[in-house]
Amino acid sequence: MKKISVLLAATALISVMATSAWSKTLVYCSEGSPEGFDPSLYTAGTTFDASSRTVYSRLVEFKHGGTEIEPGLADSWSVSADGTEYTFKLHPGVKYQTTDFFTPTRDFNADDVIFSFERQLKADNPWNKYVEGGSYEYAAGMGFPELIKSIEKVDDLTVKFVLNHPEAPFLADLAMDFASIVSKEYADKLAADGKMAQLNQQPLGTGPFTFVAYQPDAVIRYKANETYFKGKEKIDDLVFAITSDAAVRAQKLKAGECHLIPYPNAADVSELKKDENLTVLEQAGLNVSYLAYNTLIAPFDKAEVRKALNMAINKQAIVDAVFQGAAAVAKNPIPPTMWSYNDAVVDDKYDPDASKKMLADAGVKDLKMKIWAMPVSRPYMLNARRAAELMQADLAKVGVDAEIVTHEWAEYLKLSSDKNRDGAVILGWTGDNGDPDNFMDTLLGCDAVGGNNRAQWCNKEFDDLMTKAKLTADVAERTKAYEQAQLIFKKEAPWNTLDHSLVFVPMSKKVSGFFMDPLGIHRFDGVDISE
């Protein structure tokens, strides 16, 4: 079966590359398969690259290569003096993509905005649980159902969000992938036909590229949206050639079988830089990798046990082995490039003897645990299996028997959110909007327990600081709250913070107009390729 799927993938890719004789085709060797194509249901960058950043648009957008907000589907917006009302003037004449599976009969309007958000906010909305086992993890984890009082249609091209309280990062939140706008007309047709799940399989939006087809674990095909409201893209065809092995991605790039790849092995970077046909972009990642304990399960419910386990693990050895110098050991849940980073925080030192004593003092002996290792490369953790093996060896030295487990990527993300999950999970985060809230509240807030908060950690003092930081637009006041919260985080140790990495994007010199993004996404709007 495996040989057949590999052959099919190769055949599909060859046929795609052959189209370049009469159209501009860019092939992106992506690192994994999307969980689905409705970005509101997910949090993984792999899924966002394949859905929200190709097919969809948002009310506001991040400028290429940064976190500054610019108009998207909304031409302008105004905010009330008390910070609780946001009124958006929508761009007129925006067309939805026409596909083989749906032909729109009207332009984008306020009804689509209201539908796109209300399905995520209201438990009684028929679209709230339209995918079995799926949930609007981002909206819930960020407290949107409690934050948004109402969304009102002023007219077809004007929509107002009314909040229950001021929310400093709200505008930046609306530029995030989960806030992508979907077609209510398309959704209504699917509901009428009894095919609601198709929204997550055959996406349709207003973005730069139109979805054509997906061959699972092999190829995703897109074409330029002929009616894109910002103008047709220079690329005619965009192809995601799904290639999970980083070494194979590098080989394909060097052979000219793809034009751009993400997340190369650290050991391959120097060789790729030497290739005269390639350019290798690099920048400090707005990211963190961590080992999240399940703080609801004994003995991981005790901070002293978590800190003892942290002290057993040699993080510098992990960074050296996995990243070969292209990362730094992390001590905080936010990266040092982000405002409000508290450099005064003292990390849990590597001290196996002290670790062993702390475990004994806590009454823990003959501990057996699981370490969950991601099956895919991510910018913040290129090789989770290798990292887990090093942790396993370190923990054995203090008498802890650790078993390494993994799952297919979509299943890994789903199961690792379970409140009853056993052991500790290796995962990480790349910032979505440049705000500390997107790390600290999204990953560690009480609202995110059972979702993005893989530690299942709810600390009232920490959570109150998160709320305080969001209620004011004063950056100095927000900084104080986040700095204090980082001290609480370190004292309680729901994670072992592992690393902050550099990020590399190797690509063919034929590619132009591609920007590295601090938010870790791969965008192909504005990109061109020479023949």
Side-chain angles (χ1 to χ4, degrees), residues 451-482:
N452 283 328
N453 188 339
R454 259 68 181 194
Q456 317 301 342
W457 180 67
C458 179
N459 179 283
K460 185 178 186 305
E461 187 179 4
F462 181 94
D463 221 51
D464 287 347
L465 286 166
M466 294 301 97
T467 300
K468 179 180 179 181
K470 288 194 286 188
L471 288 174
T472 177
D474 187 317
V475 173
E477 287 300 311
R478 297 187 74 204
T479 295
K480 288 179 185 178
Y482 291 129

Side-chain angles (χ1 to χ4, degrees), residues 53-100:
R53 296 297 162 178
T54 48
V55 176
Y56 293 104
S57 310
R58 288 141 294 281
L59 289 174
V60 293
E61 304 281 6
F62 294 116
K63 286 187 177 180
H64 268 296
T67 58
E68 184 180 349
I69 299 296
E70 66 179 6
L73 289 170
D75 286 333
S76 63
W77 52 90
S78 59
V79 185
S80 64
D82 66 357
T84 62
E85 293 187 1
Y86 288 71
T87 302
F88 295 88
K89 292 291 184 179
L90 308 181
H91 191 80
V94 176
K95 308 293 182 186
Y96 278 98
Q97 299 143 0
T98 296
T99 66
D100 291 341

Side-chain angles (χ1 to χ4, degrees), residues 54-302:
T54 48
V55 176
Y56 293 104
S57 310
R58 288 141 294 281
L59 289 174
V60 293
E61 304 281 6
F62 294 116
K63 286 187 177 180
H64 268 296
T67 58
E68 184 180 349
I69 299 296
E70 66 179 6
L73 289 170
D75 286 333
S76 63
W77 52 90
S78 59
V79 185
S80 64
D82 66 357
T84 62
E85 293 187 1
Y86 288 71
T87 302
F88 295 88
K89 292 291 184 179
L90 308 181
H91 191 80
V94 176
K95 308 293 182 186
Y96 278 98
Q97 299 143 0
T98 296
T99 66
D100 291 341
F101 48 86
F102 186 72
T103 300
T105 64
R106 67 163 176 80
D107 294 347
F108 155 77
N109 65 31
D111 293 331
D112 301 311
V113 178
I114 294 171
F115 169 75
S116 297
F117 286 95
E118 284 194 344
R119 69 192 183 117
Q120 303 183 57
L121 305 178
K122 298 183 177 182
D124 60 352
N125 187 290
W127 285 90
N128 190 256
K129 294 179 176 63
Y130 81 96
V131 172
E132 184 177 355
S135 65
Y136 295 111
E137 189 175 335
Y138 238 132
M142 295 173 69
F144 264 41
E146 296 75 33
L147 171 65
I148 298 176
K149 182 177 181 179
S150 64
I151 309 174
E152 302 170 6
K153 179 180 179 178
V154 179
D155 56 46
D156 276 353
L157 293 177
T158 311
V159 64
K160 180 193 291 186
F161 287 72
V162 181
L163 310 184
N164 283 311
H165 56 75
E167 181 88 350
F170 183 67
L171 197 60
D173 292 344
L174 294 185
M176 291 166 57
D177 301 84
F178 82 98
S180 296
I181 304 301
V182 300
S183 166
K184 184 178 185 299
E185 183 188 21
Y186 178 43
D188 287 347
K189 180 66 165 60
L190 293 177
D193 292 345
K195 298 178 179 179
M196 293 173 73
Q198 188 172 307
L199 187 70
N200 195 36
Q201 299 161 1
Q202 294 182 313
L204 179 145
T206 60
F209 295 97
T210 301
F211 174 84
V212 176
Y214 173 41
Q215 184 178 328
D217 301 323
V219 177
I220 314 171
R221 297 191 60 174
Y222 310 86
K223 63 181 180 181
N225 179 3
E226 296 284 346
T227 60
Y228 183 43
F229 70 104
K230 292 187 178 182
K232 181 181 176 296
E233 294 298 327
K234 297 172 183 176
I235 300 169
D236 297 301
D237 296 291
L238 174 63
V239 179
F240 280 35
I242 299 166
T243 313
S244 59
D245 189 299
V248 175
R249 290 198 296 274
Q251 292 167 9
K252 285 184 175 181
L253 179 66
K254 290 175 70 69
E257 294 178 27
C258 54
H259 302 110
L260 189 146
I261 66 171
Y263 321 132
N265 284 327
D268 293 335
V269 170
S270 60
E271 194 65 28
L272 291 169
K273 286 182 175 180
K274 294 176 185 176
D275 192 317
E276 62 182 11
N277 296 312
L278 304 178
T279 298
V280 180
L281 305 177
E282 67 177 84
Q283 68 179 14
L286 195 70
N287 62 37
V288 65
S289 178
Y290 57 80
L291 180 73
Y293 304 105
N294 187 344
T295 62
L296 297 178
I297 306 293
F300 310 107
D301 56 341
K302 296 180 179 180

Side-chain angles (χ1 to χ4, degrees), residues 391-425:
M391 292 180 194
Q392 183 184 50
D394 285 341
L395 290 169
K397 295 174 185 175
V398 299
V400 176
D401 182 3
E403 176 192 358
I404 300 171
V405 298
T406 192
H407 298 273
E408 182 271 329
W409 184 222
E411 192 73 359
Y412 186 95
L413 292 170
K414 178 182 176 182
L415 294 176
S416 63
S417 293
D418 193 322
K419 293 180 182 180
N420 296 313
R421 185 205 76 231
D422 53 356
V425 60

